[in-house]
Amino acid sequence: MDFKLNDEQRMLEETVGRLVRDTYTFDARNKILESDQGFSTDMWNQFAELGLLGVPFSEEAGGFNGGGPELMVVAEGFGRGLVVEPYLATVVLAGTLIDKLGNDAQKEQWVAAIIGGETRFALAAYEPQGRYDHTVVGTSAKKDGDGYVLSGEKAVVLHGDSADQLVVIARTAGNAGDRDGLSAFIVPADADGVTRKGYATIDGLRAAEITLSNVKVDGDALLGEEGQAIDALEATLDLALITLCAEASGAMEVACDQTLDYIKERQQFGVPIGKFQALQHRMVEMRMELEKVRSITMLAACSLDAPADLRKKRISAAKAQVGKSGRKVAEEAIQLFGGMGMMEETPVSHYAKRIVMIDHWFGDREYHLGVLETLIDVDDHAA
């Protein structure tokens, strides 16, 4: 398997890298975080102008026709800058699901709006009682003439507080935990009966608790066939996991670089502490953890077209590795910085928080180790 970037991927990497270096400084990010919506619409428009919002979509739709490797390149760059704009929520989660399930008219309307930066989406999939299990859906969608009525609660909806539209996963048949019977609906975020409680997460992003109380939608709000959304939803979540792992890789790289620079400057007993062999060993260990994450993320990103079980194994292995290695890098960075590493004014503290919190989005290390164990048991029984 060839992990080298092709010419188009290198160009994409250079575009994202230049954007982050030139415009997404630590001070600029802090000003963005202080805004009411928690991200910059000007920066979002720049993403659109550079074509970054079209990376996973087809050329026919006006996109880049990218897949896992292309999203990995973008997410690594965003991780280096701790980008807080709703790229994962709008493009990867909601946009990909619309692209997989929507009919031609729906894709023409909504995918084009995402690529152009005109409409921001959020995926309302998880629920309070389900934790990381996307099949535990109690939100109902009942037929009402030619349309549907949606009722239920959604938890920790990434950037759900500022989205223009929601993609809501609701149950049209079956019981909570069933794979069959899940449907996806496009719901205006300001529709009657939609209540959003937004809040900032500790790693600088935004999320919302969303309640749907007898929300009426037309029949054309349904994406795909009724009750058949599970495969597209899981493929979308897999792509989101790859994006998160790549973002962690970018953030871990910067945390390692900043820590190395700091121990070269900080002095003790008249010499830089970076000359102490014990600290040199710890820096080497941090770099080794980074390379573990980077390598397994590359493998996962190149496995989207593999059989479903193999794809899920590699993606869950990558996410589990991020949980272990990311925490190691974050903790070592804080310890080597000492008290400075705990201060809000020190960039590495923000990188550490983001790295650790990535472990908890869409299944933490323990959850994905459980997924791996289940898949391995199935293979053993099949053999």
Side-chain angles (χ1 to χ4, degrees):
M1 188 175 288
D2 186 5
F3 290 131
K4 294 180 181 178
L5 299 181
N6 60 34
D7 290 342
E8 288 185 344
Q9 291 165 347
R10 281 195 296 271
M11 181 178 66
L12 182 62
E13 182 181 46
E14 291 170 1
T15 298
V16 176
R18 185 166 54 251
L19 174 68
V20 170
R21 286 193 305 272
D22 294 348
T23 64
Y24 222 91
T25 64
F26 181 65
D27 290 339
R29 178 180 182 271
N30 284 343
K31 290 181 180 178
I32 291 172
L33 292 178
E34 292 171 359
S35 65
D36 291 338
Q37 59 187 7
F39 67 90
S40 167
T41 53
D42 289 341
M43 186 62 62
W44 189 252
N45 291 333
Q46 284 193 54
F47 291 173
E49 291 171 5
L50 292 171
L52 300 181
L53 303 184
V55 167
F57 305 117
S58 68
E59 292 180 0
E60 292 78 10
F64 189 85
N65 203 32
E70 287 75 22
L71 277 175
M72 181 188 72
V73 166
V74 174
E76 270 197 331
F78 284 173
R80 294 185 184 103
L82 292 182
V83 170
V84 296
E85 277 63 39
Y87 191 89
L88 178 62
T90 294
V91 177
V92 181
L93 288 168
T96 299
L97 191 57
I98 293 170
D99 195 41
K100 291 180 181 297
L101 287 176
N103 56 38
D104 290 342
Q106 289 169 326
K107 288 190 281 190
E108 182 178 353
Q109 178 182 4
W110 297 119
V111 173
I114 290 173
I115 293 173
E118 301 157 9
T119 304
R120 290 183 294 272
F121 277 84
L123 175 63
Y126 293 95
E127 301 193 357
Q129 69 276 16
R131 201 165 186 239
Y132 296 133
D133 191 342
H134 53 274
T135 66
V136 180
V137 175
T139 298
S140 64
K142 299 180 179 179
K143 287 288 291 183
D144 180 41
D146 293 333
Y148 295 84
V149 176
L150 280 63
S151 295
E153 296 181 355
K154 295 294 180 179
V156 199
V157 179
L158 184 61
H159 288 288
D161 59 334
S162 60
D164 304 306
Q165 301 283 335
L166 305 173
V167 177
V168 177
I169 304 300
R171 186 166 291 285
T172 47
N175 301 308
D178 292 347
R179 292 176 56 80
D180 294 334
L182 294 180
S183 301
F185 298 87
I186 294 179
V187 179
D190 59 355
D192 291 341
V194 175
T195 303
R196 297 185 287 177
K197 181 181 179 182
Y199 50 88
T201 61
I202 67 170
D203 52 346
L205 301 184
R206 301 282 304 183
E209 305 297 298
I210 295 180
T211 301
L212 301 106
S213 300
N214 297 319
V215 178
K216 294 184 178 182
V217 295
D218 296 332
D220 58 7
L222 174 67
L223 293 169
E225 296 182 24
E226 183 179 303
Q228 303 296 314
I230 186 63
D231 289 340
L233 175 61
E234 290 186 342
T236 297
L237 293 176
D238 284 346
L239 197 59
L241 288 168
I242 290 171
T243 306
L244 278 173
C245 290
E247 184 184 345
S249 174
M252 289 167 66
E253 178 185 332
V254 175
C256 288
D257 290 344
Q258 291 183 351
T259 305
L260 179 60
D261 290 341
Y262 182 74
I263 66 173
K264 286 180 178 179
E265 296 174 359
R266 181 185 170 193
Q267 293 202 355
Q268 193 172 32
F269 307 116
V271 297
I273 63 174
K275 289 187 176 293
F276 300 154
Q277 192 175 58
L279 300 192
Q280 292 174 3
H281 289 169
R282 291 171 72 173
M283 279 302 313
V284 171
E285 290 175 356
M286 289 173 67
R287 289 288 180 182
M288 290 173 62
E289 298 299 333
L290 167 61
E291 291 306 318
K292 290 177 187 177
V293 167
R294 180 169 285 153
S295 297
I296 199 167
T297 298
M298 288 181 182
L299 178 62
C302 294
S303 301
L304 288 177
D305 294 329
D309 283 357
L310 179 59
R311 180 190 80 213
K312 290 181 181 298
K313 279 183 191 175
R314 290 176 174 176
I315 292 174
S316 283
K319 190 60 162 59
Q321 190 67 55
V322 165
K324 180 181 179 181
S325 297
R327 184 173 292 274
K328 173 72 172 177
V329 167
E331 290 176 350
E332 287 289 344
I334 295 298
Q335 289 185 25
L336 291 175
F337 263 84
M340 291 289 293
M342 301 295 292
M343 298 177 64
E344 286 290 312
E345 294 82 359
T346 306
V348 79
S349 68
H350 295 260
Y351 282 91
K353 285 190 286 189
R354 181 61 184 146
I355 291 166
V356 171
M357 284 305 299
I358 282 175
D359 179 36
H360 297 281
W361 286 103
F362 311 127
D364 59 13
R365 179 170 179 260
E366 295 300 322
Y367 174 83
H368 283 284
L369 286 175
V371 172
L372 276 173
E373 183 179 5
T374 300
L375 291 172
I376 291 171
D377 285 345
V378 169
D379 286 348
D380 289 343
H381 287 120

